[in-house]
Amino acid sequence: MNIRDFYAADPQRQESEEVSFGAGWTDHTDAASTFRLSWVARTRELYAVREPHPGGGLLAPIFDHYNLHQAAVDELRVEILAVADLPAVEEALAGWRQVITDHDSLRWARRHVAALALPAPASVPGEQDYQPPRLRPERDGIFHRPRHGRD
């Protein structure tokens, strides 16, 4: 989805503060683009935005650094990498400033947040503590058929 659709899909994203994890990430499968990573406080989503650069290649990070050739909104593609609290994301991405300029740095980021990638299932308060009662048919008289000499 593009960046406009990403924000439109959840109004919490529009109103939320974000924490940047840098711009200029690279992907070996897309040499003409760079990516920026951000974490959305209200939704706890870490996402990457693909920012294409005409000509790309080695100049893509330079274009990104100086904000040259801003891509059209439809070209800014979003990928949600993880859903987690900020401390967990910061821990997973520890050292990102030293890695962001490396070739294929987005692969490093994906690998480091992979354990965070699945959101926790929603639960009802107290649901995890609930244990259904164990039925003991013989003792509680449930499903008990009196035997009359026949099976």
Side-chain angles (χ1 to χ4, degrees), residues 2-82:
N2 68 40
I3 192 76
R4 179 182 14 224
D5 294 340
F6 173 73
Y7 282 106
D10 188 341
Q12 291 186 83
R13 294 174 181 145
Q14 298 171 18
E15 302 166 3
S16 183
E17 291 183 32
E18 293 193 8
V19 175
S20 174
F21 285 93
W25 294 87
T26 59
D27 185 330
H28 75 283
T29 65
D30 192 355
S33 300
T34 56
F35 298 78
R36 62 183 162 87
L37 269 57
S38 296
W39 177 81
V40 182
R42 288 196 179 179
T43 61
R44 300 171 43 240
E45 296 163 316
L46 175 68
Y47 69 93
V49 178
R50 177 186 176 269
E51 298 179 340
H53 304 285
L58 296 175
L59 297 179
I62 295 167
F63 290 147
D64 198 55
H65 178 76
Y66 290 107
N67 289 326
L68 300 174
H69 176 266
Q70 295 299 310
V73 170
D74 289 337
E75 295 179 292
L76 302 175
R77 308 304 294 174
V78 174
E79 173 190 355
I80 298 173
L81 301 176

Side-chain angles (χ1 to χ4, degrees), residues 145-151:
R145 290 187 204 155
R147 293 188 174 205
H148 298 294
R150 293 192 290 175
D151 289 322

